[in-house]
Amino acid sequence: MNKKLNAVIQGICAKVGKDRTRMVDVVRETQAALGCVSSEAMDLIARETGTHRVEVESVVTFYAFLSSTPKGKVVIRLCNDVVDRMQGMKRVAEAFEKALGIGFGQTTPDGAITLEYAPCIGMSDQAPAALVNDVVVTGLSSDSAREIVAALREHGDPSRLVRQLGDGNNAHPLVHAMVRNNLRACGPVIFAALEPGAALKSALAMTPQEVIRDVKTARLRGRGGAGFPTGMKWEFTRQAPGARRFVLCNADEGEPGTFKDRVILTECPDLLFEGMTVAGYAIGADTGIMYLRGEYAYLAPFLEDVLARRRAQNLLGAAILGKQGFNFDIRIQLGAGAYICGEETALISSCEGLRGDPKNRPPFPAQKGYLGFPTAVNNVETFCCAARILARGAGWFAEMGSKGSPGTKLLSVAGDCRSPGVYEVPFGISLAEFLAMAGAEDAAAVQVGGPSGQMVGPKDFGRTICYDDLATGGSVIVLGRGRDVLGVALEFLEFFVDESCGYCTPCRVGNVLLKERLQAILAGRGEPADLEYLQKLGETVKTASRCGLGQTSPNPVLTTLKNFRSEYEKRVAPRGDGLQPSFDLSAAVADAQIIAGRASVHAAR
Amino acid sequence: MNHTFTFTIDGVEVRGRPGQTIMQAADEAGIYIPRLCAHKELVPHGSCRVCTVFVNGRPQSACTQPAAPGIIVENETEALLAIRRSLIDMLFVEGNHFCPFCEKSGNCELQALAYRFGITAPQHPYLFPKRDLDASHPDIFIDRNRCILCGRCVRASRDLDGKNVFQFVGRGPGKRIAVNAKAALADTDAARTDRAVSACPVGAILRKRVGYAIPIGQRMYDAAPIGSDIEAVRADPHQ
């Protein structure tokens, strides 16, 4: 047995040249081959890659898709995102539990199937959805949950669960997914035809500095949410001293309710890869890495095929399109289930084979990024915009959108609306206009920018979607009348608690405290003073946290305190009896009662 | 001296050199910025956030942020004191800290900070986590109840001892210190004299059999508050 394990690990490590910085690949493959990365496997991996065992353990215990104890041959990960919960996830969850005879977090006694929850898997427009190993199943009901279990019991092959193929490239043999694009509005920047090589030809006719100048003239800003000027980022990266430079594409689309990058990856990978190649030329990089979230692993074979074709077309590789000295290639790095890896320095850590902990800044990635070299990290959509700017011209791009936010933006909308899906809209569109497009005119509340964004009510629907007003990386979640806004805020806090890397105090501890206090309020144990406590604590977490996750994680509380204050006030009304509601006497003496073997007088009443 | 520059901390002009962090420059100037994960001989970690200052209005950790000409640093403002108090409280409620009988009492930097900040009881509710203890090693023990995840042991073991005995595992609230062995500390090459042991600011990694060799009352922070050594550098007319 040990010999066999040894051979498997040796083979996996050899595939990456025993390179410690490829640890995420090594542990992912080990997990896939053996169902876990066992203690013995950690020792062997450490020996093979020349590192310490605890370093391997540190990586394995960080990512949700990895485990040191055996999981089933098939792992069902039911998405428990807010939208999925709104659309009947609970019934699906119960059906899975009943059909499998196990609870969440458990494995069937025969070791065949493990049942787990996963945060947003990027399918909110076709919720409830789940991952069965790498296979996506969407639009689930309690019936389909039972059918899935029956089918897996019969043949154990997740790929056979896909009966009806989705539209567009979802039906491509290398994708073979039931996922639908739900592409509702195509704009001129992202969802327009592109002849492969067109942007690159125009870039290669210029100097790299001229390419950067064009991107600056177009006033392109990062589409991930933060909105940093892309041209400036490329210039800093180009100017930073370093023997090598890297282009990193952030395809770790994890913000709950965001799925627009999934549609780009499915329908316009050429535009994306072309944008990355243009960036490589502009900053002087020879390597690009696309960090693809583990939840989108089903797209990896298709994307690898596109890369292979582009190599064959001389759009990647040596002397691209005959340009001597310009060599550039792209590799795909798969993630393993960690929202934090969408933070650019955490993404770099993960690419380096480490835990997905963000890094201290400065130095910024443009100065010292991947493996210490100058690195430009951009969002999927940003690279697509850059390619289009080169193909169509900076002036053409800058004329679209609003003053401070040129171009178009992809929005992914889900929740209580008639037409969930992906929309390419010009920046500056009002939220009301957009809600009308999506069939959500009567929304009671809208979460713009995902949990890390803001929850707004009808009085704010006249505001515009752009960097200077309602900024969003793409997520728009609609809550209809009757939805509990604070219940949603609590679910978002639970998400951040689960996804915090735990590095810094305010995020690791503060979010737990926020969650517990809000939970107490929702359970009827709140006091008026709790609102002040939440406000102060939220601001402390926001100010003191080390990275963007912690700096935005209190937003569900802070924006609902601001925009839906009456929801809090009606739950923390002072009590007439003078008792302190936050103290639950029965719960406090529960342990003592068990030990004493008798109930208290209080409980008996 | 040619390369020095000046900037201000709470209005006081401070001299800095290229490559220095704000904390290093402040230390030299005799201005104490509270800290827990920072340690003079270790690379900055930036995790406890107790040293948060405002630099030109933006929050930064003083242990990682470079000093720069002309920056305006706020250190002892009401807002920052409140944030630091809250963070120190968080570290108390996150673990299980029992000062009255902890061997580290009087030498503990977390406890000393609480005294300096006048904290008598935390403002946050206790989380009472279940954490484990590793007493397998003949000379050292780990009590994770008292660990504040500052990472000093990780850095000291790696950079000062050349050993890599410690590393973080898990994430979020489940993050904890692990040792480089399948089971326990006894299976590692950790030694009683390791700097990783003395670097621990709290009572999480302790040497056995010396807990009360120095009586409580005669310990490091019993005489003067934490940070006094740094503040002694500065000839302050107000004190």
Side-chain angles (χ1 to χ4, degrees):
Chain A
M1 182 60 201
N2 242 339
K3 255 190 178 162
K4 191 186 150 212
L5 179 70
N6 206 352
V8 172
I9 299 288
Q10 279 184 346
I12 289 171
C13 294
K15 267 176 48 183
V16 295
K18 302 188 176 189
D19 183 353
R20 190 172 51 75
T21 73
R22 299 293 293 274
M23 188 60 76
V24 174
D25 290 334
V26 170
V27 290
R28 267 192 68 96
E29 279 218 31
T30 306
Q31 177 81 36
L34 305 166
C36 69
V37 187
S38 64
S39 187
E40 291 74 20
M42 289 182 203
D43 279 326
L44 293 169
I45 291 170
R47 199 190 63 199
E48 282 299 299
T49 57
T51 186
H52 302 272
R53 173 212 150 84
V54 74
E55 301 287 343
V56 183
E57 187 181 355
S58 162
V59 174
V60 171
T61 54
F62 188 86
Y63 297 94
F65 286 6
L66 305 171
S67 168
S68 55
T69 50
K71 286 196 183 177
K73 286 197 169 56
V74 173
V75 182
I76 300 174
R77 295 189 171 89
L78 180 63
C79 179
N80 68 351
D81 176 46
V82 161
V83 178
D84 291 69
R85 293 190 209 205
M86 281 161 63
Q87 298 184 346
M89 180 217 79
K90 204 164 168 239
R91 286 193 307 276
V92 178
E94 285 162 3
F96 272 128
E97 284 180 324
K98 212 170 155 203
L100 289 165
I102 54 170
F104 280 81
Q106 296 180 333
T107 302
T108 52
D110 59 356
I113 302 173
T114 296
L115 185 60
E116 290 181 356
Y117 282 120
C120 186
I121 61 171
M123 302 290 160
S124 309
D125 57 338
Q126 38 215 301
L131 287 169
V132 184
N133 289 352
D134 289 347
V135 174
V136 182
V137 287
T138 60
L140 296 174
S141 62
S142 37
D143 282 345
S144 56
R146 281 188 286 272
E147 283 164 29
I148 285 169
V149 172
L152 288 174
R153 283 246 163 84
E154 191 197 319
H155 54 66
D157 179 5
S159 68
R160 284 171 63 186
L161 298 173
V162 178
R163 295 226 176 101
Q164 197 169 8
L165 293 172
D167 55 338
N169 284 334
N170 290 302
H172 189 289
L174 289 173
V175 181
H176 190 73
M178 64 188 290
V179 178
R180 289 190 314 273
N181 290 326
N182 290 329
L183 186 48
R184 311 275 182 183
C186 296
V189 177
I190 307 296
F191 295 115
L194 175 93
E195 185 201 328
L200 206 42
K201 268 179 211 146
S202 127
L204 295 180
M206 295 190 265
T207 66
Q209 288 84 353
E210 285 167 339
V211 172
I212 292 175
R213 184 206 58 200
D214 267 19
V215 175
K216 283 169 106 176
T217 307
R219 290 181 291 126
L220 173 62
R221 295 171 68 174
R223 263 40 178 169
F228 192 82
T230 307
M232 208 188 281
K233 188 183 270 184
W234 289 9
E235 190 163 58
F236 290 156
T237 313
R238 179 171 183 83
Q239 287 169 351
R244 290 184 74 184
R245 287 179 178 68
F246 289 89
V247 172
L248 261 59
C249 171
N250 186 345
D252 192 51
E253 179 172 60
E255 189 70 36
T258 317
F259 44 85
K260 47 107 187 164
D261 290 344
R262 187 236 307 151
V263 179
I264 292 181
L265 293 164
T266 308
E267 296 305 327
C268 13
D270 272 292
L271 185 66
L272 165 63
F273 292 141
E274 189 128 342
M276 288 179 71
T277 315
V278 166
Y281 178 67
I283 69 166
D286 61 14
T287 303
I289 301 173
M290 185 176 83
Y291 190 89
L292 183 66
R293 69 184 304 215
E295 291 80 351
Y296 292 169
Y298 75 98
L299 289 168
F302 167 68
L303 294 168
E304 293 284 9
D305 187 57
V306 174
L307 288 174
R309 178 189 24 87
R310 289 184 70 87
R311 284 181 201 114
Q313 291 172 313
N314 193 218
L315 297 169
L316 284 173
I320 290 173
L321 291 177
K323 183 88 174 177
Q324 290 307 313
F326 178 45
N327 312 318
F328 187 79
D329 212 329
I330 296 172
R331 81 167 165 93
I332 296 174
Q333 172 69 57
L334 271 168
Y339 166 77
I340 185 61
C341 289
E343 199 280 342
E344 63 174 2
T345 60
L347 184 145
I348 291 171
S349 295
S350 190
C351 285
E352 292 170 337
L354 303 169
R355 298 163 58 82
D357 286 338
K359 296 174 189 280
N360 285 318
R361 274 161 295 206
F364 290 89
Q367 304 160 279
K368 276 189 164 68
Y370 178 63
L371 303 177
F373 296 109
T375 303
V377 188
N378 287 111
N379 179 263
V380 166
E381 191 182 344
T382 312
F383 283 119
C384 292
C385 292
R388 190 69 70 181
I389 287 165
L390 269 296
R392 296 288 305 264
W396 171 83
F397 183 87
E399 271 173 28
M400 286 179 286
S402 71
K403 204 171 162 225
S405 313
T408 63
K409 182 77 193 84
L410 293 192
L411 299 178
S412 32
V413 60
D416 296 322
C417 60
R418 289 193 300 279
S419 309
V422 174
Y423 295 73
E424 184 176 353
V425 295
F427 264 123
I429 190 173
S430 77
L431 185 54
E433 274 176 274
F434 177 66
L435 291 175
M437 284 174 81
E441 300 88 341
D442 53 355
V446 182
Q447 183 75 25
V448 182
S452 68
Q454 27 188 334
M455 175 87 83
V456 296
K459 74 175 167 52
D460 283 318
F461 288 178
R463 292 172 63 186
T464 55
I465 290 170
C466 64
Y467 293 108
D468 310 312
D469 193 0
L470 285 173
T472 172
S475 170
V476 178
I477 299 170
V478 182
L479 305 180
R481 296 195 194 284
R483 297 288 182 193
D484 178 9
V485 171
L486 300 194
V488 169
L490 179 64
E491 284 168 12
F492 287 160
L493 281 178
E494 285 169 350
F495 167 76
F496 285 125
V497 168
D498 287 345
E499 296 298 328
S500 164
C501 76
Y503 192 102
C504 74
T505 312
C507 179
R508 183 184 68 241
V509 189
N511 284 321
V512 174
L513 297 170
L514 281 171
K515 187 195 85 173
E516 299 218 332
R517 189 60 59 102
L518 182 54
Q519 241 164 0
I521 292 173
L522 293 181
R525 289 184 279 112
E527 301 176 69
D530 287 343
L531 305 195
E532 177 68 13
Y533 177 82
L534 286 176
Q535 182 75 32
K536 272 202 176 143
L537 177 57
E539 285 168 7
T540 296
V541 173
K542 213 172 163 63
T543 305
S545 285
R546 179 164 165 267
C547 83
L549 190 154
Q551 288 158 12
T552 55
S553 59
N555 282 353
V557 165
L558 294 176
T559 67
T560 48
L561 273 172
K562 181 167 172 251
N563 298 328
F564 296 89
R565 199 169 185 88
S566 61
E567 291 291 318
Y568 285 94
E569 283 164 347
K570 72 182 183 203
R571 284 162 150 124
V572 296
R575 286 165 55 134
D577 57 10
L579 294 173
Q580 192 186 3
S582 63
F583 185 71
D584 182 343
L585 184 58
S586 312
V589 299
D591 282 352
Q593 287 181 31
I594 292 165
I595 293 165
R598 59 187 184 213
S600 76
V601 178
H602 171 82
R605 274 179 201 161
Chain B
M1 279 305 266
N2 282 344
H3 295 299
T4 63
F5 52 80
T6 59
F7 65 98
T8 64
I9 301 178
D10 292 335
V12 178
E13 191 159 283
V14 171
R15 203 168 278 283
R17 292 189 306 274
Q20 261 185 335
T21 63
I22 290 172
M23 182 179 283
Q24 286 168 334
D27 282 0
E28 282 187 11
I31 295 174
Y32 175 63
I33 301 174
R35 73 208 60 180
L36 276 169
C37 68
H39 183 286
K40 278 202 162 82
E41 291 174 65
L42 301 172
V43 289
H45 199 235
S47 63
C48 75
R49 312 309 285 177
V50 171
C51 73
T52 299
V53 291
F54 283 102
V55 181
N56 295 341
R58 287 172 66 102
Q60 304 283 3
S61 50
C63 69
T64 59
Q65 187 67 18
I71 53 171
I72 296 165
V73 179
E74 293 169 60
N75 177 35
E76 276 202 19
T77 65
E78 279 298 310
L80 281 168
L81 292 179
I83 286 171
R84 290 172 187 164
R85 248 205 82 142
S86 185
L87 294 173
I88 293 165
D89 282 350
M90 284 183 201
L91 291 170
F92 271 104
V93 304
E94 183 194 22
N96 300 305
H97 296 272
F98 25 78
C99 299
F101 58 91
C102 175
E103 300 92 314
K104 194 82 172 192
S105 197
N107 289 325
C108 170
E109 294 180 37
L110 180 66
Q111 182 196 42
L113 271 179
Y115 277 125
R116 189 180 167 114
F117 277 79
I119 298 171
T120 48
Q123 63 193 291
H124 307 303
Y126 287 102
L127 297 173
F128 298 122
K130 283 202 163 51
R131 297 206 184 151
D132 58 358
L133 197 132
D134 181 346
S136 62
H137 194 282
D139 298 322
I140 312 161
F141 73 93
I142 306 173
D143 183 355
R144 294 185 179 88
N145 286 293
R146 304 178 237 181
C147 177
I148 57 169
L149 301 168
C150 68
R152 282 196 194 173
C153 57
V154 177
R155 288 171 284 156
S157 182
R158 183 191 63 206
D159 300 336
L160 302 180
D161 302 327
K163 286 185 178 180
N164 286 280
V165 172
F166 302 99
Q167 185 50 278
F168 291 117
V169 298
R171 77 177 185 203
K175 186 175 181 175
R176 62 185 192 92
I177 280 289
V179 296
N180 188 32
K182 189 172 180 175
L185 187 62
D187 309 321
T188 69
D189 52 356
R192 162 179 200 86
T193 49
D194 279 0
R195 298 295 307 278
V197 180
S198 50
C200 179
V202 290
I205 304 177
L206 289 167
R207 292 194 181 100
K208 291 182 175 175
R209 296 178 296 276
V210 293
Y212 298 98
I214 300 170
I216 284 175
Q218 296 172 26
R219 295 182 173 190
M220 193 149 26
Y221 304 117
D222 289 337
I226 190 168
S228 302
D229 52 336
I230 290 169
E231 286 168 325
V233 174
R234 186 171 163 213
D236 189 334
H238 301 296
Q239 283 183 7

